[in-house]
Amino acid sequence: MTVNDDSFTNWKIREEIAESMIPLIGKLHRERDVTVLLHSRSLVNKSVVSILKTHRFARQIAGAELSVTETMPFLEALTALDLGPSQIDLGMLATLYAADERGLSVAEFTAEAVAGATGANKIERRESRDVVLYGFGRIGRLVARLLIEKAGSGNGLRLRAIVVRGGGAQDIVKRASLLRRDSIHGQFQGTITVDEDTSTIVANGNEIKVIYADDPSHVDYTEYGIRDAILIDNTGKWRDREGLSKHLRPGIEKVVLTAPGKGDVPNIVHGVNHDTIKPDEQILSCASCTTNAIVPPLKAMDDEYGVLRGHVETVHSFTNDQNLLDNYHKSERRGRSAPLNMVITETGAASAVAKALPDLKAKISGSSIRVPVPDVSIAILNLQLAREATREEVHDYLREVSLTSPLKRQIDFITAPDAVSSDFIGSRHASIVDAGALKVDGDNAILYLWYDNEFGYSCQVVRVVQHVSGVEYPTYPATAV
């Protein structure tokens, strides 16, 4: 047998194991509300090849691929336990088990590591929480995809309605088509049907009412059977408490804005300050995509090195508020053709840092350049540190933060020397540290942070909604602090 034959045989064996993992992962998710992860990446509803590719990510931990032959025993051990709603990371189980010297079996170690989710310790499955989308643009449709994807267990969040202004003939058909196919993010994973008579979109079995209204005050959500819902406003039309309060109609309990909030509206970056949300807070903001991209790594750097001052320059993909061709725009430069020009513009991300990180004393300035790509941006974070460091030290620290810290869902880390923006389309992290571009000189550190300003941000929005809904389940093994 040749070396090539050995490689192919090994691939087929791993392929077979990954195939056998799928029903186990699916059953845990549907019947027990358990989401199986691999180093923070969900394995629910993933294909065989996707599961194998996710395992290759472990090369960033120890320089070696994590094989399905190593993780499968932990998955089998989980199926034998009396688990409650939770998220369980097979990658962390395998990594911690390899370092454990007590001689425990996989089953014994797994039972101990996830004890908080079993038996008398487990939390009860919660009733689903109604969600309403106000607006159905770029972010609205991606949030809809995520909510539908996460509805598989029948618990958690349930998208009940979408509120839009009437668009004429076949409006609902056209909106469903935009949900079904996306030029950047590809096909919707599942099936979508439309009932024009009842103004309903059915996506993967989820019945979503399309409500036509020109103003929030025109809607009584209880008429549609919606109760205690969280409304996600992705229009950005109202950004202060007075304007957003218009959404607090019958059937709506809380309002979440997908744009920076003004005045006393809390700006929340999940992973950083979501635990500061007061239980009785009815109105909050998820800040901007750029704020979500820079605040987690900024917090990580301040925690370890201290930050005296900083500047963020964002090279940002063009957005829907720019013109396709030169035309009138209330902003001077944004009226120029987006796909033909680099456009200098402002960013509010730097000033928003103070709301998300009130303990950070450093002054952070910022500016932005819009460039002719439709998605994925990069933030260049230039920091003056409180102490000197080496490139290797910062590199290893950020790598570890991305793998084991409480910020691992927000910060990713890539070492690929040929990475470009399109590689990060669909990333679920708030930002991705480009290790090859990292620069450190004494007390000066420059971080290059990629981010999918559409999908990564939408994931952060959903995490905030899960948190305020009480359906954000704990992760095991416990994250290192």
Side-chain angles (χ1 to χ4, degrees):
M1 181 177 286
T2 66
V3 173
N4 287 337
D5 288 335
D6 286 340
S7 297
F8 185 68
T9 300
N10 179 263
W11 169 263
K12 298 302 288 184
I13 292 172
R14 289 185 291 133
E15 195 175 42
E16 183 178 356
I17 295 172
E19 193 172 87
S20 65
M21 295 176 86
I22 292 174
L24 301 182
I25 294 168
K27 188 172 183 180
L28 284 169
H29 184 60
R30 287 190 309 275
E31 297 183 1
R32 307 188 198 178
D33 224 359
V34 172
T35 299
V36 177
L37 310 173
L38 192 84
H39 291 301
S40 300
R41 289 155 166 79
S42 174
L43 296 182
V44 176
N45 292 329
K46 294 297 186 290
S47 68
V48 168
V49 171
S50 180
I51 289 173
L52 292 174
K53 286 181 68 175
T54 304
H55 277 72
R56 282 184 63 80
F57 170 76
R59 289 178 298 169
Q60 296 201 40
I61 299 172
E65 181 176 343
L66 182 63
S67 173
V68 288
T69 60
E70 297 173 77
T71 58
M72 182 60 167
F74 294 97
L75 180 59
E76 291 174 328
L78 291 175
T79 63
L81 297 173
D82 179 26
L83 290 168
S86 57
Q87 300 184 101
I88 299 179
D89 197 314
L90 294 182
M92 290 299 294
L93 280 173
T95 300
L96 293 174
Y97 181 69
D100 191 85
E101 299 178 349
R102 292 175 294 165
L104 299 177
S105 68
V106 167
E108 291 169 336
F109 180 85
T110 302
E112 179 183 275
V114 303
T118 61
N121 295 323
K122 69 180 182 181
I123 59 178
E124 295 301 318
R125 299 178 73 177
R126 300 186 175 100
E127 293 296 321
S128 60
R129 186 69 174 270
D130 290 352
V131 178
V132 173
L133 291 178
Y134 197 94
F136 204 49
R138 297 297 303 157
I139 299 302
R141 292 194 296 274
L142 291 177
V143 169
R145 285 188 173 198
L146 286 164
L147 292 173
I148 294 164
E149 170 194 301
K150 294 178 182 299
S153 66
N155 292 275
L157 304 175
R158 183 183 175 198
L159 178 57
R160 295 292 308 280
I162 297 163
V163 184
V164 293
R165 289 178 295 180
Q170 289 197 310
D171 179 272
I172 190 172
V173 173
K174 293 173 182 177
R175 294 186 189 277
S177 181
L178 285 169
L179 178 62
R180 184 181 290 114
R181 287 179 286 271
D182 190 282
S183 300
I184 297 170
H185 301 284
Q187 298 277 342
F188 174 81
Q189 296 300 304
T191 63
I192 294 175
T193 58
V194 174
D195 187 332
E196 291 187 81
D197 293 336
T198 61
S199 192
T200 302
I201 295 173
V202 181
N204 290 357
N206 295 267
E207 293 188 4
I208 307 162
K209 187 74 174 179
V210 178
I211 302 170
Y212 293 98
D214 294 327
D215 188 89
S217 62
H218 298 165
V219 188
D220 181 342
Y221 294 94
T222 60
E223 293 180 357
Y224 304 95
I226 296 170
R227 299 285 188 278
D228 302 324
I230 295 176
L231 183 144
I232 304 173
D233 182 334
N234 55 86
T235 67
K237 184 176 180 180
W238 304 277
R239 297 193 180 190
D240 59 12
R241 187 173 295 276
E242 181 182 0
L244 292 168
S245 293
K246 296 179 181 180
H247 290 303
L248 294 173
R249 300 283 298 154
I252 302 299
E253 184 181 3
K254 295 180 184 290
V255 179
V256 174
L257 171 66
T258 63
K262 296 181 178 180
D264 66 343
V265 175
N267 281 253
I268 303 300
V269 175
H270 191 275
V272 175
N273 68 335
H274 67 276
D275 56 354
T276 65
I277 301 173
K278 298 176 181 178
D280 60 350
E281 179 61 74
Q282 288 188 288
I283 295 172
L284 55 92
S285 157
C286 289
S288 71
C289 56
T290 300
T291 303
N292 276 264
I294 66 173
V295 165
L298 184 56
K299 172 177 169 49
M301 291 297 290
D302 188 51
D303 286 348
E304 180 67 17
Y305 301 101
V307 174
L308 301 181
R309 65 178 295 113
H311 176 81
V312 60
E313 187 78 33
T314 70
V315 182
H316 199 292
S317 59
F318 63 77
T319 62
N320 220 24
D321 80 316
Q322 293 174 257
N323 290 334
L324 189 62
L325 295 171
D326 289 2
N327 209 338
Y328 175 82
H329 195 290
K330 63 181 180 180
S331 296
E332 293 178 347
R333 300 189 202 240
R334 291 195 190 190
R336 303 298 298 277
S337 171
L340 297 179
N341 295 288
M342 293 191 294
V343 179
I344 297 174
T345 187
E346 70 284 343
T347 176
S351 59
V353 167
K355 283 193 170 185
L357 282 175
D359 293 336
L360 180 71
K361 304 306 179 186
K363 175 178 173 56
I364 306 294
S365 58
S367 53
S368 180
I369 302 173
R370 297 286 179 93
V371 294
V373 293
D375 187 33
V376 179
S377 305
I378 190 167
I380 305 166
L381 192 57
N382 193 331
L383 304 175
Q384 181 186 355
L385 307 178
R387 66 178 176 89
E388 294 192 350
T390 65
R391 183 184 184 281
E392 182 180 18
E393 180 187 352
V394 176
H395 174 284
D396 291 347
Y397 170 67
L398 290 174
R399 173 176 163 274
E400 192 62 28
V401 164
S402 74
L403 294 170
T404 62
S405 83
L407 290 170
K408 65 182 181 179
R409 296 175 73 191
Q410 282 70 43
I411 301 175
D412 203 359
F413 188 90
I414 188 166
T415 57
D418 57 350
V420 294
S421 61
S422 61
D423 296 330
F424 305 102
I425 293 174
S427 169
R428 296 184 179 231
H429 288 79
S431 63
I432 306 99
V433 176
D434 191 313
L438 174 67
K439 293 176 172 57
V440 181
D441 183 8
D443 65 352
N444 177 240
I446 304 175
L447 280 58
Y448 287 75
L449 307 166
W450 298 100
Y451 58 108
D452 185 330
N453 48 278
E454 292 187 333
F455 196 73
Y457 175 67
S458 296
C459 290
Q460 283 286 90
V461 171
V462 171
R463 289 172 189 136
V464 170
V465 174
Q466 286 178 313
H467 178 74
V468 299
S469 302
V471 296
E472 186 178 39
Y473 297 133
T475 300
Y476 298 96
T479 302
V481 178

